[in-house]
Amino acid sequence: MAEMARTNLDLAPASSAPRAYASVHPAWVRLMRYCAELGHGEIEKLKIQDGLPMTAEVTTRKIKFSP
């Protein structure tokens, strides 16, 4: 499987990160990390409650066999 691009979501703890990054709710950070790990795919249904992601009910992962 192709190597995925690394994200900067886990490079610095929130305490030493810029102020804008530190204000991102942990639920959004988890969703962004999930999307980065997924690489290619779909989230068919995403539940949001009080402005925060709660669950991704159905996900589909695509695997590319061509370069």
Side-chain angles (χ1 to χ4, degrees):
M1 194 181 287
E3 189 70 27
M4 289 191 311
R6 287 187 46 96
T7 63
N8 62 359
L9 294 174
D10 56 2
L11 293 180
S15 60
S16 65
R19 184 178 178 97
Y21 178 76
S23 67
V24 175
H25 193 278
W28 283 110
V29 174
R30 284 193 294 273
L31 176 61
M32 290 186 284
R33 283 188 179 141
Y34 173 77
C35 291
E37 291 170 7
L38 183 62
H40 292 86
E42 298 174 3
I43 296 176
E44 293 181 24
K45 187 181 276 188
L46 178 64
K47 289 194 175 189
I48 305 287
Q49 182 177 342
D50 296 328
L52 298 173
M54 300 306 291
T55 59
E57 287 189 6
V58 179
T59 60
T60 304
R61 186 173 188 167
K62 293 182 182 180
I63 300 172
K64 294 174 70 172
F65 294 106
S66 62

